[in-house]
Amino acid sequence: LVRVCLGLLVCECVRRFSGAVHEKFKSVAPQCSNIFLLLTATQFHTPFYASRSLPNVFALMGVLLAFTHWLHGRALACILLVAFHMVLFRCDLAVLLLPMVGVMLLAGEIKFVPSAIFGLITCVSALCLSVAVDSPFWGKLVWPEGYVLFFNTIENRSSEYGESPWHWYASSALPRALTFTFPLAV
């Protein structure tokens, strides 16, 4: 039941994003949202993982909703959603958030000071939520995503998860992830 609900939530987020893409680009590329849906449906990873309760799936939903808000002209809501999901589920969303904020600032969609204040409040709120919910499960006061970030970057211990050969992304991960669209990537 949980997986069915989660899969339906992911589908709803994809549907909303597709609708926003259609509204934004219908005059220049009327089939853009249909192509997006076709490419998403034919990939292995999105349909396969959509119903799994993994941090990546929760982050995916947040990012899809964030981009939906951005396409509807609500840049601050976009930033807050990405910031919230970054702190709660995937710290590496900072790699998405920072250039996104830069584009929004250059385009005049946001102002730096109010966005920084709301972003900081959002991050602190997400941090408090994560610590309050997750600490009892860990049996100690902890921010799990911060722990992972520290383990992987500061302590540089990510190799303890296992290592793959240097060509693994090009020879294995990308072909499996891109499935039918691999020729487009080339």
Side-chain angles (χ1 to χ4, degrees):
L1 183 59
V2 169
R3 289 191 58 189
V4 168
C5 291
L6 187 56
L8 289 173
L9 282 171
V10 170
C11 288
E12 177 60 15
C13 292
V14 169
R15 186 194 68 76
R16 287 180 185 221
F17 177 67
S18 175
V21 167
H22 177 73
E23 286 301 312
K24 183 75 172 182
F25 301 109
K26 67 183 172 188
S27 62
V28 292
Q31 296 302 320
C32 188
S33 63
N34 290 336
I35 293 168
F36 163 73
L37 289 173
L38 178 65
L39 292 176
T40 301
T42 58
Q43 301 311 302
F44 168 76
H45 280 77
T46 304
F48 181 79
Y49 284 104
S51 67
R52 282 152 174 81
S53 56
L54 300 168
N56 289 359
V57 174
F58 294 106
L60 171 65
M61 289 188 290
V63 168
L64 286 169
L65 292 176
F67 275 112
T68 300
H69 281 291
W70 195 6
L71 289 173
H72 285 308
R74 297 186 295 267
L76 186 58
C78 171
I79 292 171
L80 299 182
L81 274 167
V82 174
F84 183 81
H85 286 80
M86 176 186 72
V87 172
L88 214 54
F89 299 114
R90 293 298 306 203
C91 279
D92 45 2
L93 283 179
V95 176
L96 172 67
L97 183 62
L98 294 176
M100 181 187 295
V101 168
V103 168
M104 291 175 180
L105 285 168
L106 289 173
E109 296 177 86
I110 58 171
K111 296 194 182 320
F112 179 76
V113 173
S115 299
I117 291 169
F118 283 117
L120 185 61
I121 291 169
T122 299
C123 288
V124 169
S125 300
L127 177 63
C128 291
L129 177 64
S130 177
V131 170
V133 170
D134 292 322
S135 292
F137 291 110
W138 285 58
K140 61 182 178 178
L141 195 64
V142 67
W143 170 38
E145 194 56 27
Y147 180 84
V148 169
L149 180 68
F150 186 79
F151 182 89
N152 289 339
T153 57
I154 307 300
E155 294 182 333
N156 195 25
R157 294 173 52 198
S158 58
S159 63
E160 293 179 24
Y161 299 124
E163 295 181 10
S164 298
W166 65 269
H167 58 81
W168 182 80
Y169 279 103
S171 64
S172 181
L174 285 176
R176 285 185 293 126
L178 296 175
T179 316
F180 300 111
T181 57
F182 187 69
L184 297 175
V186 173

